Structures are given as C-alpha cells and as structure tokens.
C-alpha cells in the first residue's frame, strides 16, 4: 500500500464479499486480506473450496468503494507470528504513514499465533476498532461457509440473497462439437477452470453480458460417446440477442456468467427429441 494515511482499514478474508463483509468494508478506504485461505497452509485437507479467486475477491472489495487492497500470502511463518508483530508489520503499516485510521473487522476476526489477537487487543494499543455485527438471512448468520454450502446444493437464490448480488463464474471459451446448433439450440461453451466449488451438474438460468440464457453444466450424457469427459458450461442465449451482445461474447475469451437459479439436475434422455422438448421447457422457465 502507498505511504499515505487512510481513514479506515478493513481486515478479513472476505471470501464471497457477502453482505456481512460489505458491512465491514463500509467506511473503509483500504483493506488487508490474504490471497489463500489460512487452512490451505495449516491444514490443507480442511481448507474450504473458495467462492472466489484472489483476483475476483480483490475486485469485489474495490467495487465496495475500497481504493487500496493489500493481499498477503498466508504461510506457516505468518501463522507463528506473535500478534504484536503482525500488528506492527501489517496492520500499522497498512494504516498509513500518519496512522490514526480506524480498523474495521467482523466479530470473529482473529490474528497472530493461536488467534490471540482480536479487536480488544488492538484497542488496548490505542487503535480505534469498529466491529460490524453479523448480518443475517432467514434468521441465521450469513457466512462464507453457509453460502458455499448453498451453492453446492444448487440453492442459488439463497446464495445470491446472502451475497447481495448474483454468484458469478468466468470460464475459457472453446469451440464445441456443434451438436447444440444441429438440434436448434446453439451454445457458447465454457470450461470453468477457476471455479473451485462443486456446483451441481444440471441446468441453470443465467445471464451473460446482460442477456438472459439457459445453461447446462455437466457432461451432456444424452450424447453418448460424444459426451464431455469433464463438466462443461453450455450456454444458450434466449430470445433474439442483439448483434452487439453476440459480438461481445464471441470476442471474449473468458466471459463472465451470472447465476440466477438452478432449474433441474442433469439427466440422460431416451432420445434427442425428448432432450429438445426438455430444453424448450428449460428455456421457458429461464425466460420467466
């Protein structure tokens, strides 16, 4: 971060940058986070699948009005750092050369060896700390782990409500086999290499470049020997998208897709005609 004083420093991991995180970030003009989840260094087998890549997370934090974001690599050495040293090297430094900035955090924020540092630790050292209370949805706390679980169960609307925006993925576009076009439903095909979540295989209502679409995420098992060997997101634009939208998608190597709803699980159909009838129904539901 640049050598200047900030009015407020937000601290946290912020996976998903959900409504609870947004409450922490409100009023801050700088943020301190980690590129990787702490458990990825301490207990890799327990590390959660993340909602966002580090780059997506930094962009989402900045979209909340935070001008400067510092993302540290979490290492075992950092985990062994005494709270006093962590504050001196990272928190105080990030607050700017003049100091005096508030620190914004959540109720469960801990730092330093054994998680010994917290808001009170900073207050005892003269730092003004603003602790944001937990945000709630349907009477329960919003958390990144709760959102991850919703997404992996296909509960897209609940996840979106807790995120405060639609869940998004981006993927690399590639030329498919042309089967969708042959049956009247041409698709844009994406490989979701950066998505770590185990999204349910199935059909989703989505938007891409502002256009409504229906997407199948899966193997296309009805295609038999021509099915995919690993999940692919096949996107069919609905209605009559304008040429500008089509050009934007075609010219983008990594288009971003917003998930609106989960419509049904993927399944194998007895014939291509049966598949076409189901796709027509999927399109009707996604249009709604």
């Amino acid at each position: 971060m640049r050598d200047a004083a900030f009015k407020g420093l937000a601290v946290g991991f912020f996976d998903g940058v959900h409504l609870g995180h947004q409450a922490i970030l409100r009023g801050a003009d700088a943020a301190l986070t980690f590129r990787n989840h702490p458990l990825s260094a301490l207990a890799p087998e327990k590390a959660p699948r993340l909602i966002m890549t580090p780059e997506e997370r930094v962009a989402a934090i900045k979209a909340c009005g935070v001008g400067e974001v510092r993302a540290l690599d979490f290492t075992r050495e950092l985990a062994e750092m005494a709270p006093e040293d962590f504050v001196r090297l990272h928190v105080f430094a990030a607050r700017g050369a003049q100091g005096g900035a508030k620190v914004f955090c959540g109720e469960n924020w801990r730092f330093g060896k054994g998680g010994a540092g917290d808001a009170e630790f900073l207050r005892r050292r003269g730092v003004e700390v603003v602790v944001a209370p937990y945000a709630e949805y349907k009477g329960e706390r919003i958390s990144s782990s709760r959102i991850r679980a919703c997404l992996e169960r296909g509960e897209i609307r609940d996840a979106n409500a807790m995120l405060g925006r639609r869940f998004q993925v981006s993927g690399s576009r590639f030329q498919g086999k042309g089967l969708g076009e042959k049956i009247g439903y041409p698709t844009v095909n994406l490989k979701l290499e950066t998505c770590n979540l185990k999204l349910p295989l199935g059909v989703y209502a989505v938007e891409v470049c502002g256009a409504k679409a229906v997407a199948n995420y899966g193997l296309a098992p009805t295609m038999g020997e021509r099915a995919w060997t690993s999940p692919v997101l096949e996107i069919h634009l609905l209605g009559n998208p304008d040429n500008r939208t089509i050009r934007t998608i075609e010219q983008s190597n990594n288009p971003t897709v917003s998930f609106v709803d989960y419509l049904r699980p993927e399944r194998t159909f007895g014939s291509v005609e049966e598949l076409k009838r189901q796709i027509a129904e999927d399109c009707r539901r996604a249009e709604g």
Side-chain angles (χ1 to χ4, degrees):
M1 290 184 177
R2 60 179 183 240
D3 289 332
F6 299 111
K7 293 181 293 185
L9 173 71
V11 289
F13 188 65
F14 302 123
D15 187 33
V17 193
H18 57 60
L19 291 178
H21 297 148
Q22 291 167 38
I24 297 169
L25 294 164
R26 198 171 296 125
D29 53 356
L32 178 65
T33 187
F34 299 110
R35 287 185 57 79
N36 55 311
H37 195 280
L39 284 176
S40 68
L42 301 177
E45 71 282 358
K46 296 181 181 179
R49 292 182 289 273
L50 299 182
I51 299 167
M52 292 174 155
T53 65
E55 295 74 20
E56 290 168 341
R57 185 154 36 91
V58 168
I61 291 171
K62 288 185 175 181
C64 293
V66 177
E68 296 283 337
V69 181
R70 183 182 185 188
L72 304 175
D73 290 322
F74 195 94
T75 62
R76 286 185 172 273
E77 291 74 20
L78 189 66
E80 289 297 312
M81 187 176 290
E84 294 86 349
D85 293 334
F86 182 85
V87 169
R88 177 174 53 81
L89 290 175
H90 301 297
V91 176
F92 284 167
R95 290 168 73 217
Q98 302 302 314
K102 297 178 183 177
V103 170
F104 296 82
C105 65
E107 292 183 21
N108 63 344
W109 182 59
R110 299 290 185 274
F111 61 91
K113 186 174 182 179
D118 58 9
E120 285 304 314
F121 180 94
L122 289 177
R123 287 173 178 145
R124 291 195 298 270
R125 283 152 181 80
V127 180
E128 184 177 356
V129 183
V130 178
V131 179
Y134 284 103
E136 292 191 352
Y137 174 67
K138 293 185 175 180
E140 297 182 22
R141 291 177 177 177
I142 294 175
S143 67
S144 300
S145 58
R146 185 180 173 195
I147 294 170
R148 291 180 200 118
C150 281
L151 290 170
E152 294 191 338
R153 290 195 298 263
E155 297 166 1
I156 303 298
R157 290 186 179 274
D158 285 335
N160 288 347
M162 290 187 282
L163 287 168
R165 66 186 181 286
R166 287 175 178 164
F167 169 68
Q168 294 183 327
V169 298
S170 60
S172 57
R173 188 169 60 84
F174 70 98
Q175 184 64 44
K177 303 169 184 177
L179 297 178
E181 190 164 9
K182 286 182 180 179
I183 64 173
Y185 294 97
T187 61
V188 175
N189 306 305
L190 303 182
K191 293 180 180 178
L192 306 185
E193 296 103 335
T194 62
C195 181
N196 293 315
L197 297 174
K198 291 186 177 180
L199 299 175
L201 301 186
V203 178
Y204 294 81
V206 302
E207 284 191 5
V208 56
C209 297
K212 285 186 176 182
V214 64
N216 185 78
Y217 179 62
L219 305 176
T222 302
M223 296 300 118
E225 292 182 356
R226 302 193 71 183
W228 305 113
T229 56
S230 60
V232 168
L233 189 67
E234 299 176 276
I235 305 163
H236 172 68
L237 299 176
L238 299 175
N240 296 300
D242 58 53
N243 291 332
R244 182 180 178 182
T245 298
I246 294 172
R247 281 198 306 272
T248 300
I249 296 171
E250 289 179 344
Q251 293 171 3
S252 174
N253 290 327
N254 297 91
T256 298
V257 182
S258 299
F259 282 60
V260 179
D261 202 2
Y262 179 63
L263 301 181
R264 64 172 177 84
E266 184 177 53
R267 63 188 181 91
T268 304
F269 293 89
S271 66
V272 171
E273 287 304 314
E274 185 182 352
L275 171 62
K276 288 171 62 177
R277 288 193 295 271
Q278 182 60 60
I279 293 175
E281 174 61 16
D282 296 335
C283 290
R284 185 192 66 76
R285 290 184 62 193
E287 280 277 16

